[in-house]
């Protein structure tokens, strides 16, 4: 069922997010605190943006548990980035642990990752694929529900035209994610799937990011998810260089579990989206209508 | 483009096929002789039957080159089996090297592997999947043309009823493979694919096996393929135990390249099937009609 | 700190030990019950004997967690053997997860695995290696305490002459393991190491096996270890074939944790060896003198 | 026996060295041109410096062939660095392909890699380790000759004091490498090893680098090695930013094979060191005395 962390803000060294915090993602791969099954040892992935060198983000995947991967620790030491999406995987029954099934998934400037599952996925896999353009269909190389959900997302981008972002690109991205979730829920409903879905999905293009905390389970709030704004850690001038305080305070973190015991982490409300634009205050949007698709 | 070896006959130690011959499959993973690109280092797989312990064959897959895999050498020492299908992979452009993409593929009693490629596969992937039953569709977990071809094969088995094998089950299996190739060629033709296909496909259920040497390339005979009957190696009583000579002579090997310099290897003619039943003389059947599908 | 299982008895299908029991070793890789840190996801290994095909056992190693390894499940279905040693690893701080560091270690007919650790190992590594013959020294390819302990064991075999087994080979093997532990403890004591050692070590040659439950920790009994004799499971004629009841009752299992809730599992007493010979009643020997090496 | 590439100069994107050149290191992993056995598919490694983020270099290792590793291509897109050491491995008989055995090896600011082998290594392994300090001894985690050679190198650094670099740190580094090679050759000679050694070794600390082309084979020049100075590729302002031409011309590449067909690559003479300091002209030093150690 996985755990993930998304960061968007001033350039930060990967280790500050993935390794050093008291309850870092690497520690969550060993023992997460807010999942029924605490271990997330079915591979991991990190996607990050390096805008000066490439338009598109890079992705690093491994089928090994995050806790024992030396490459991850090495990369964490020497990479700094203004936007990261990192994910540790717990695969259903431990199967399908393959590189093709690691999150985040990527296409052009976009990265997407997911904690949860699409109920009845094997029964609706065909329905999800059927309406897709050939391009979106061709993106699917593995067997995860997440990769199929991403194909739906990309299909919409292709239909709309990526550039149709308007004046509020973060909101546009939010609408796209909501539309993706809607399409998935409708396909499942049409197939008569009644079991609850768990759809904490994060997507970004390096400048905007949106994260859902969504479930159709009538009980509870779905998988855990937290938001933290502002200057997270005890930073020194060294960390952020000569950037001014105002910029430092624009760091935004959305994470399955709280990386640190610091105050400031707020639980994302059930069935809401966190909508993030670089340099802006994050917004919370309700996903009311989605909850009504049975 | 891969190399493979199939064996059906008295129980034989895996090492006798995979490790010990002068031009074993492991040696072919380093340097095959009859491929344009000699290296086959994009993973490997071995499927074998252990009829006293299980109805279904076991499959061992690895993304590592066969030549450096210690597990393969260890297993080869201690496993004896009456039917083996082993494959070393050369992936197009070295990508998609994942466990889900290793041959042989398996379903119930069946194993299938392939040397070659379906031309224009990415363009016809949807067409191949569209007519399949949900069960066959659900088998596909990766992105290889071979896995999709196998899904077509399984779909036919499910439609026919597996048990509809009649008096000549080896021939029935041959008809099924031919029908599978036909369906693939027709889908490609309907999509306007003109480039040549290379379809050396091996399928078995442990008792019968069929191997195709097929190409629509007007030039040449397609990927290499050889047949050897009878008592292959200098065997001693130790090797085959107390079985009699007549049984020993029923060993049949079909292999992309000749494992040994011994006489007796015959090249399989272009566009033919080798049809093998346990204890029977292998037969060659022409695939005339398939060659006419453009 | 690992969990392991050793079996010596009539030929048994691997799955009956590794997969099917309610608390199988695969389940212990996810969540063991008697370790402080329950996860054992730092690779695994299985060694087994196939006497009709090879004098030496085969070993299968993987750096992946046992719970997600498809090859392990496949092998478990089709391999039957009269002696197995299987191990799931929890590496200190999750590092050094490499094939060279997987248990069991092997040399000629011998397999050895270990749950626990040699205290102060990095400080005594050189002392352990210094007195070894060149042959034993040359066996060490990785960095585990266990591999070094095995080199000490092999060195003794080479000095004694392997064949010097006398009338009670199981007891001879026990003496060798005790001597190995003694040498390790003495090296640590000479180096001034005071922290406690945990040395649950299993060694076998396919016909005899010895397992230690040993610690120098003054508190507690060391890592858990259980012994079970006799016909373990609800077996049918199918399972053991035509062998008679008397032979079936000679199955012996020694395991870090109880694989089943069945009665009959007895905890191995602190600082004892379990001494097993094929077809004999297992014996318990006290390791009194070793406990006195400080 | 491997191929490698070292770069020291203005910050350059990894892809410009590892992926894009006509005869890049990735292409050499498939088919190198100046080795008897062209394939180098036994794992690879890249070490690089990120001085603004870390004093020590990062290392990325994989046991997969470089040609099929997606992570390598992704990293190559988004990492720029002023000093890189990259290596594709061909292991003797394809064994010992493990992460611990990947080059480059690292310790503090130093990276070291090797193409070739120490003759009779297994016979002199103990002699090489015996005189080392405990710290240097403890660095060895695997079984390669290269890792042992690196331990010898580190041992000297520790004895001298790293800071004892004087006015010409590049020359000091050269002396250290020569002393390391000398110690290795002497150990082999003392053990009566007569077969020829092949010691193309590269070492760097991010500011200086030294590469040897050395063999005791009386015939030939040893493994191939080339040097290229100056502005290698068609660079644009984009590539090197606002740095001036003079700085761009200080790029130095030392590589087993010529990455491009451009003129300017000069073969390093037999039994010489290439001595490189950041911003300086590379120097060639003869290793006369080493050649006399028999």
């Amino acid at each position: 069922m996985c755990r993930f962390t998304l960061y968007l803000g001033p350039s930060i060294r990967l280790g500050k997010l993935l390794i050093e915090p008291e309850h870092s993602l690497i520690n969550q791969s060993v023992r997460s605190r807010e999942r029924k099954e605490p271990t997330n040892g079915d591979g991991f992935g990190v996607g990050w943006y390096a805008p000066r060198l490439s338009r598109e983000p890079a992705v690093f995947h491994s089928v090994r548990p995050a806790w024992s991967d030396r490459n991850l620790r090495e990369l964490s030491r020497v990479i700094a980035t203004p936007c990261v999406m990192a994910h540790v995987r717990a695969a259903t029954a431990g199967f399908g642990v393959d590189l093709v099934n690691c999150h985040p998934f990527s296409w052009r400037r976009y990265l997407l990752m997911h904690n949860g599952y699409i109920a009845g996925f094997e029964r609706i896999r065909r329905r999800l694929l059927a309406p897709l353009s050939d391009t979106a269909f061709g993106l699917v190389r593995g067997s995860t529900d997440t990769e199929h959900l991403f194909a739906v997302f990309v299909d919409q981008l292709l239909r709309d035209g990526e550039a149709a972002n308007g004046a509020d690109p973060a909101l546009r991205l939010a609408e796209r994610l909501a539309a993706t979730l809607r399409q998935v829920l409708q396909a499942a409903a049409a197939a008569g799937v009644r079991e609850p879905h768990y759809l904490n999905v994060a997507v970004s293009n390096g400048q905007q990011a949106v994260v859902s905390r969504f479930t159709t389970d009538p009980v509870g709030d779905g998988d855990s998810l937290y938001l933290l704004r502002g200057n997270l850690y005890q930073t020194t001038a060294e960390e952020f260089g000569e950037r001014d305080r105002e910029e430092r305070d624009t760091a935004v973190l959305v994470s399955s579990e709280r990386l640190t015991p610091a105050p400031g982490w707020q639980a994302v409300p059930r069935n809401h989206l966190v909508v993030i634009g670089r340099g802006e205050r994050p917004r919370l949007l309700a996903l009311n209508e989605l909850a009504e698709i049975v």
Side-chain angles (χ1 to χ4, degrees), chain A residues 42 90-95:
Chain A
D42 292 325
T92 320
F95 287 118

Side-chain angles (χ1 to χ4, degrees), chain A residues 218-272:
Chain A
V219 177
D221 292 334
D223 289 302
S224 60
L225 193 68
Y226 297 87
L227 163 67
L228 181 66
R229 290 185 56 232
N231 203 345
L232 315 154
Y233 304 109
Q234 197 77 42
T235 58
T236 66
E238 242 175 74
E239 199 58 49
F240 283 132
E242 56 284 344
R243 297 194 200 87
D244 56 49
R245 173 156 212 109
E246 202 180 287
E247 189 187 358
R248 289 208 301 274
D249 283 343
T250 59
V252 178
L253 242 160
V254 182
S255 193
S256 300
E257 303 196 0
R258 288 157 289 189
L259 303 186
T260 65
W265 293 94
Q266 53 178 124
V268 175
R270 171 194 164 96
N271 292 6
H272 275 70

Side-chain angles (χ1 to χ4, degrees), chain A residues 114-286:
Chain A
H114 171 212
N115 158 215
Y117 56 83
I118 297 173
F121 170 64
E122 291 292 333
R123 279 133 62 200
I124 68 167
R125 203 173 146 206
R126 289 185 106 160
R127 283 176 194 260
L128 287 175
L129 290 172
L132 301 184
S133 64
D134 286 344
T135 305
F137 176 90
L139 290 187
V140 179
R141 315 310 288 174
S143 58
T144 60
D145 50 1
T146 310
E147 192 184 26
H148 288 69
L149 184 151
F150 185 51
V152 172
F153 174 83
V154 169
D155 194 53
Q156 292 187 3
L157 275 173
L158 292 168
R159 288 178 200 280
D160 280 0
E162 270 186 81
N165 284 335
D168 191 343
L171 185 63
R172 189 77 194 87
L173 186 61
E175 288 165 355
R176 286 188 161 125
L177 180 58
T180 301
L181 300 184
R182 182 181 314 126
Q183 199 168 316
V184 166
L185 294 171
Q186 285 170 340
V193 173
R194 301 210 178 296
E195 307 95 284
H197 305 278
Y198 293 84
L199 300 171
N200 285 19
V201 180
V203 63
S204 180
N205 57 18
Q207 292 299 318
Q208 293 88 38
V210 181
V211 191
S212 62
R213 184 183 192 185
F214 184 83
T215 182
T216 55
D217 188 337
V219 177
D221 292 334
D223 289 302
S224 60
L225 193 68
Y226 297 87
L227 163 67
L228 181 66
R229 290 185 56 232
N231 203 345
L232 315 154
Y233 304 109
Q234 197 77 42
T235 58
T236 66
E238 242 175 74
E239 199 58 49
F240 283 132
E242 56 284 344
R243 297 194 200 87
D244 56 49
R245 173 156 212 109
E246 202 180 287
E247 189 187 358
R248 289 208 301 274
D249 283 343
T250 59
V252 178
L253 242 160
V254 182
S255 193
S256 300
E257 303 196 0
R258 288 157 289 189
L259 303 186
T260 65
W265 293 94
Q266 53 178 124
V268 175
R270 171 194 164 96
N271 292 6
H272 275 70
L273 295 178
V274 184
V275 182
I276 308 158
R278 181 172 291 286
E280 304 166 11
R281 284 185 79 90
R283 290 168 276 175
L284 289 173
L285 294 190

Side-chain angles (χ1 to χ4, degrees), chain A residues 34-52:
Chain A
E34 304 193 43
R35 279 194 64 226
K36 213 172 102 193
E37 284 294 333
T39 311
N40 298 274
D42 292 325
F44 69 90
V46 186
W48 72 94
Y49 293 79
R52 282 186 240 169

Side-chain angles (χ1 to χ4, degrees), chain A residues 6-180:
Chain A
L6 174 148
Y7 171 90
L8 201 154
S11 189
I12 192 169
R13 198 165 44 77
L14 272 191
K16 282 254 155 210
L17 294 170
L18 302 184
I19 315 282
E20 294 166 33
E22 181 248 3
H23 192 52
S24 69
L25 205 63
I26 274 201
N27 290 350
Q28 293 177 44
S29 70
V30 183
R31 180 87 51 84
S32 55
R33 294 172 180 155
E34 304 193 43
R35 279 194 64 226
K36 213 172 102 193
E37 284 294 333
T39 311
N40 298 274
D42 292 325
F44 69 90
V46 186
W48 72 94
Y49 293 79
R52 282 186 240 169
L53 289 162
S54 177
R55 287 207 63 196
E56 300 186 9
V59 179
F60 174 74
H61 285 151
S62 174
V63 292
R64 299 182 64 141
W67 70 72
S68 66
D69 196 287
R70 185 192 177 206
N71 288 331
L72 178 60
R73 290 177 191 270
E74 293 285 304
L75 292 179
S76 293
R77 214 154 33 71
V78 297
I79 288 172
T81 173
C83 181
V84 186
M85 289 175 54
H87 181 275
V88 289
R89 189 167 174 237
T92 320
F95 287 118
V97 183
D98 245 320
L99 288 176
V100 279
N101 293 332
C102 289
H103 313 207
F105 294 93
S106 64
W107 179 76
R108 292 196 188 162
R109 293 177 295 135
Y110 296 89
L111 293 174
L112 182 145
M113 60 189 178
H114 171 212
N115 158 215
Y117 56 83
I118 297 173
F121 170 64
E122 291 292 333
R123 279 133 62 200
I124 68 167
R125 203 173 146 206
R126 289 185 106 160
R127 283 176 194 260
L128 287 175
L129 290 172
L132 301 184
S133 64
D134 286 344
T135 305
F137 176 90
L139 290 187
V140 179
R141 315 310 288 174
S143 58
T144 60
D145 50 1
T146 310
E147 192 184 26
H148 288 69
L149 184 151
F150 185 51
V152 172
F153 174 83
V154 169
D155 194 53
Q156 292 187 3
L157 275 173
L158 292 168
R159 288 178 200 280
D160 280 0
E162 270 186 81
N165 284 335
D168 191 343
L171 185 63
R172 189 77 194 87
L173 186 61
E175 288 165 355
R176 286 188 161 125
L177 180 58
T180 301

